[in-house]
Amino acid sequence: MGSTHAVTNQPPPLAEYDVFGADAALVEAFHRYGDGNRSRLHELGTLAGSERAQQWAWQADRNPPALRTHDRYGHRVDEVEFHPSYHRLMEIAVEYGLHAAAWSPSGSPSGGTHATRAAGFLVWSQVEAAHMCPISMTYAAVPALRTDPEIAASWEPGLTSTSYDPGLRPPGRKAGVLAGMAMTEKQGGSDVRANTTSAEPGADGWFHLTGHKWFCSAPMNDVFLVLAHAPGGLSCFVVPRIRDDGSRNPFRIQRLKDKLGNRANASAEIELEGTSAQLLGAEGRGVATIIEMVAATRLDCVLGSSALMRRAVAEASWHAAHRSAFGTKLTDAALMQAVLADLAIESEAATALAMRLAAAVDRPGDPHERALRRIGLPLAKFWVCKRTPHAVGEALECLGGNGYVEDSGMPRLYREAPLNSIWEGAGNIQALDMLRVLSREPEAVDAWRAEVSDVAGSDDTPPATAESLRTALSEVEVLLRDAAADREAALRRARVLAARMAVLLQASLLIRFAPAEVADAFCATRLDASHGVFGLLPSAVDARAIVDRATPTR
């Protein structure tokens, strides 16, 4: 073959490396909050970085689930069929306890099980994000089910099992089960109180649901938490796909959604028609009952977005380290260094905040941790998930035309990037939830203020950084006072306030725990409310050190 057919100046594939071990920010966060057992995370990280796992991801994305409504004889079956690679991804996620295993009483006696699970979630999400939806739903279902100890006791052993056992069979005959959720209806969306699904009480103590759910994620899971109107008001119900006697509960899958991304996961439109359901919690308290599930899925939205950012930064920095242009390696070019370093800072801040909130789950009895989680989740969900499409798009651009073709994997990341900002309440819903916290839960605002103020007033914080932090904190205090005094002004400025509070929380974590070059660069750029475009780092920033820290090694 002629010399023009020789492949030169192309990076080797980013494969056969330890995704966990190559992520300095995540390793350090695990040391702060995890259960101390690094070996399983390194094992999972090595699998996540393997060529075979990447092939599973490719195949699962390219072979989306297919709906089968009837069998050959015309009976309704309402099943979704998945590619074998999807099942392999699910099997690994369950085996490593990324679903509900953190809730198991057999967890580490030293604590840190939720933070450890979060670290694993961050690692494995980088392989293929879509299949993590049913994993997240299962994790989130447990705290909601615990509203009723008897119902929880019947489901928790299966939900916390580390055996993946797909297929519709009675839960008692399965080695492990998974959970889902169906709240959204076409006329209501996030306004779940506008839902019209009805729940009629039966003589056997069960209710019977009738209605249409516009979005039901992971319809092949075994049990679902569903909102419906009972005689006593909007209530939460537990709906099994298969009844104890082996019969199929009416759960009509009308169609699968054709989505922008998240293609390996099935999102369905379903009809409930006399569907058997158990009341969970008190009648009329449906939102209050399911709120713990929503909170846990919001945490996973932050973790998932952080994982997408991290994977995008890894791909961009790896590409730049192995490709030359204009006579120099891309990673040595000043402009590219500035962009990569800025992306790395954004990724590290997201990881730090996500892991901090996961660690708060490990300490439910601590009032400060509980309050910080309450306000930190809507702030992080708003900001981290909203920053992800911007970060992933900039990282894709670092690969140039190579990043725009499917072979690179970057288009899959880019299609996935907006999802977590929409799932479980889009940006406006998070900003409104933050306002609700400000008006009703002063202890949560105090917890946020303590996290930031402690750093701003610490002798260990560099003077210039401390001054920037105090200035930004003063600006936020003005916004908080204005929000308390004027409801209409609060609504207009809610997004600004959510963004500023989230960034300050990230800054406080980086100042405490990240290398000085990372924390100083973050504070020099993000504490200014005008920040928005990547690549605007001050010239004094040590971009090389930041990029080296973010670039994978193998």
Side-chain angles (χ1 to χ4, degrees), residues 344-345 348-349 510 514-523 546 549:
I345 291 166
E348 181 151 352
L510 293 181
E517 62 269 16
V518 173
D520 292 348
F522 184 91
C523 292
I546 296 171
R549 176 176 169 81

Side-chain angles (χ1 to χ4, degrees), residues 83-104:
H83 190 272
S85 288
Y86 171 90
H87 289 298
R88 188 69 183 114
L89 292 166
M90 288 288 294
E91 183 180 14
I92 297 297
V94 172
E95 178 187 341
Y96 280 84
L98 306 184
H99 59 318
W103 300 108
S104 172

Side-chain angles (χ1 to χ4, degrees), residues 101-174:
W103 300 108
S104 172
S106 62
S108 170
S110 61
T113 54
H114 291 277
T116 300
R117 178 257 176 192
F121 195 97
L122 271 161
V123 167
W124 194 242
S125 291
Q126 293 182 52
V127 179
E128 199 286 318
H131 81 286
M132 300 302 282
C133 175
I135 297 300
S136 177
M137 294 287 179
T138 304
Y139 173 72
V142 172
L145 288 170
R146 288 180 174 177
T147 302
D148 186 317
E150 187 176 340
I151 293 177
S154 69
W155 284 104
E156 274 196 44
L159 292 170
T160 59
S161 167
T162 53
S163 296
Y164 176 58
D165 191 357
L168 296 179
R169 298 188 304 284
R173 301 180 199 167
K174 298 188 68 174

Side-chain angles (χ1 to χ4, degrees), residues 34-248:
D35 64 8
N37 182 11
R38 286 180 52 176
S39 60
R40 288 280 283 174
L41 285 170
H42 282 295
E43 188 179 88
L44 181 63
T46 301
L47 181 57
S50 68
E51 180 63 37
R52 59 177 174 148
Q54 294 182 23
Q55 191 62 30
W56 296 334
W58 177 265
Q59 291 170 343
D61 182 70
R62 283 307 180 98
N63 296 276
L67 173 61
R68 188 163 68 94
T69 56
H70 297 77
D71 67 12
R72 60 181 291 191
Y73 303 106
H75 304 117
R76 292 273 328 202
V77 292
D78 296 291
E79 295 188 5
V80 180
E81 297 174 343
F82 297 87
H83 190 272
S85 288
Y86 171 90
H87 289 298
R88 188 69 183 114
L89 292 166
M90 288 288 294
E91 183 180 14
I92 297 297
V94 172
E95 178 187 341
Y96 280 84
L98 306 184
H99 59 318
W103 300 108
S104 172
S106 62
S108 170
S110 61
T113 54
H114 291 277
T116 300
R117 178 257 176 192
F121 195 97
L122 271 161
V123 167
W124 194 242
S125 291
Q126 293 182 52
V127 179
E128 199 286 318
H131 81 286
M132 300 302 282
C133 175
I135 297 300
S136 177
M137 294 287 179
T138 304
Y139 173 72
V142 172
L145 288 170
R146 288 180 174 177
T147 302
D148 186 317
E150 187 176 340
I151 293 177
S154 69
W155 284 104
E156 274 196 44
L159 292 170
T160 59
S161 167
T162 53
S163 296
Y164 176 58
D165 191 357
L168 296 179
R169 298 188 304 284
R173 301 180 199 167
K174 298 188 68 174
V177 298
L178 299 173
M181 176 169 58
M183 292 196 297
T184 306
E185 297 182 6
K186 53 184 176 288
Q187 80 292 337
S190 295
D191 183 10
V192 295
R193 294 189 183 278
N195 289 359
T196 59
T197 297
S198 64
E200 295 295 329
D204 57 358
W206 286 64
F207 283 72
H208 302 287
L209 311 188
T210 301
H212 184 117
K213 295 297 182 180
W214 190 241
F215 256 96
C216 173
S217 286
M220 284 301 287
N221 283 7
D222 301 280
V223 61
F224 294 81
L225 267 63
V226 176
L227 290 179
H229 284 279
L234 187 65
S235 307
C236 185
F237 295 90
V238 178
V239 176
R241 283 286 326 250
I242 303 296
R243 300 185 180 100
D244 289 339
D245 63 5
S247 62
R248 297 198 172 207

